[in-house]
Amino acid sequence: MAGGAVAEVVESKAAGLKAGDLVFADTGWQEYAAVPAKGLAPLPDLKPMTHLISVYGVAGLTAYFGLMECGRPQAGETVVVSAAAGSVGSIVGQLAKIKGCRVVGIAGGAEKCAWLTDELGFDAAVDYKAGDVRRALRAACPDGVDVYFDNVGGEVFEAALFNMNNFGRIACCGAVSQYDGAAPAHGPRGVPGLIVTKRLNVRGFIVSDFYDRRDIALAELQAWVASGALKVQEDVIEGLENTPAALVGLLAGENRGKRMVKVS
């Protein structure tokens, strides 16, 4: 089973790597892994170490580049993010607030929605489990949506599409609603019609597209965390044996922030 991890080098014959070094690697779900040196990314000895996977790892960089490069938010605009209580979405919403936007999160359950507004500073939250997301989103965004950061696809994407303003931007990051369970129905409705009539910019991306600028992103993320403007929420599960249940729970929406497993 594939999986990225922060790992400690136990032994190395490669130049520039020695025992005790921290690296990010595709180790898989195991306690030890033999990995080619070219597949390792050296990491700083930063505390807490979990931040290297969450806010300073793939989750934080995905949020940063997806919002800044694909969404291009401007102060005063309305930004909506789905899976807003998750590892990427919770950071996206806070970054949009830092940029002076009005932020609405879409999440599952009243408890998560309250956490978004009360703890993370979102302006409003929509509970997709309460039904009729399109109407609820319209009520939460009376002036329409300028930027939508999509992590889920499906019906939630459709609801956002119908509430977009002309010349809005949509950053397509993931489709977690379609990763598990029955095959999704055809759709969403409004494609390509609304994309054309509203003159929307819809962009899919992968975080590695922007790795040539990761140092710039990390410097900003570290400054915002240090100042308290960006709160880091992490969900750490203890024990490799609990990894399958952690993944199942992740797909069921159990987590707040980045879920990770501590192997040792």
Side-chain angles (χ1 to χ4, degrees), residues 186-203:
H186 293 293
R189 292 171 294 177
V191 177
L194 289 175
I195 295 173
V196 175
T197 58
K198 291 175 179 280
R199 285 87 87 199
L200 303 177
N201 186 315
V202 182
R203 181 175 175 182

Side-chain angles (χ1 to χ4, degrees), residues 73-112:
Q74 303 297 313
E77 290 187 325
T78 296
V79 174
V80 172
V81 55
S82 56
S87 60
V88 174
S90 61
I91 297 175
V92 168
Q94 293 184 81
L95 296 184
K97 287 298 296 181
I98 289 170
K99 291 298 179 179
C101 299
R102 183 174 186 273
V103 178
V104 178
I106 303 174
E111 185 178 348
K112 282 187 177 180

Side-chain angles (χ1 to χ4, degrees), residues 18-242:
K18 64 182 185 302
D21 286 349
L22 290 179
V23 295
F24 185 84
D26 186 7
T27 61
W29 289 12
Q30 51 195 2
E31 292 178 317
Y32 294 91
V35 182
K38 64 180 180 181
L40 304 180
L43 296 172
D45 186 9
L46 183 148
K47 304 299 181 186
M49 189 183 299
T50 50
H51 282 17
L52 295 170
I53 293 182
S54 63
V55 67
Y56 305 138
V58 170
L61 293 172
T62 297
Y64 181 94
F65 288 118
L67 181 65
M68 305 303 186
E69 297 292 335
C70 302
R72 295 179 283 110
Q74 303 297 313
E77 290 187 325
T78 296
V79 174
V80 172
V81 55
S82 56
S87 60
V88 174
S90 61
I91 297 175
V92 168
Q94 293 184 81
L95 296 184
K97 287 298 296 181
I98 289 170
K99 291 298 179 179
C101 299
R102 183 174 186 273
V103 178
V104 178
I106 303 174
E111 185 178 348
K112 282 187 177 180
C113 288
W115 176 67
L116 293 175
T117 55
D118 297 346
E119 298 293 329
L120 298 189
F122 284 48
D123 295 285
V126 170
D127 179 5
Y128 73 84
K129 293 183 177 180
D132 204 342
V133 178
R134 190 194 303 186
R135 179 173 295 179
L137 192 59
R138 184 178 298 116
C141 306
D143 296 323
V145 179
D146 300 296
V147 179
Y148 173 52
F149 193 108
D150 183 45
N151 288 305
V152 301
E155 294 181 357
V156 174
F157 179 96
E158 181 181 297
L161 189 63
F162 276 83
N163 283 285
M164 295 297 297
N165 287 329
N166 290 346
F167 305 105
R169 289 85 67 198
I170 299 176
C172 293
C173 178
V176 71
S177 69
Q178 300 168 14
Y179 294 159
D180 198 21
H186 293 293
R189 292 171 294 177
V191 177
L194 289 175
I195 295 173
V196 175
T197 58
K198 291 175 179 280
R199 285 87 87 199
L200 303 177
N201 186 315
V202 182
R203 181 175 175 182
F205 75 98
I206 297 175
V207 65
S208 57
D209 297 342
F210 305 99
Y211 272 176
D212 59 329
R213 282 170 279 166
R214 66 189 303 171
D215 290 344
I216 296 173
L218 287 171
E220 288 208 276
L221 290 169
Q222 288 173 338
W224 289 325
V225 170
S227 71
L230 178 56
K231 298 179 181 178
V232 183
Q233 179 73 22
E234 298 173 335
D235 179 13
V236 180
I237 307 295
E238 294 277 350
L240 179 63
E241 69 278 6
N242 293 315

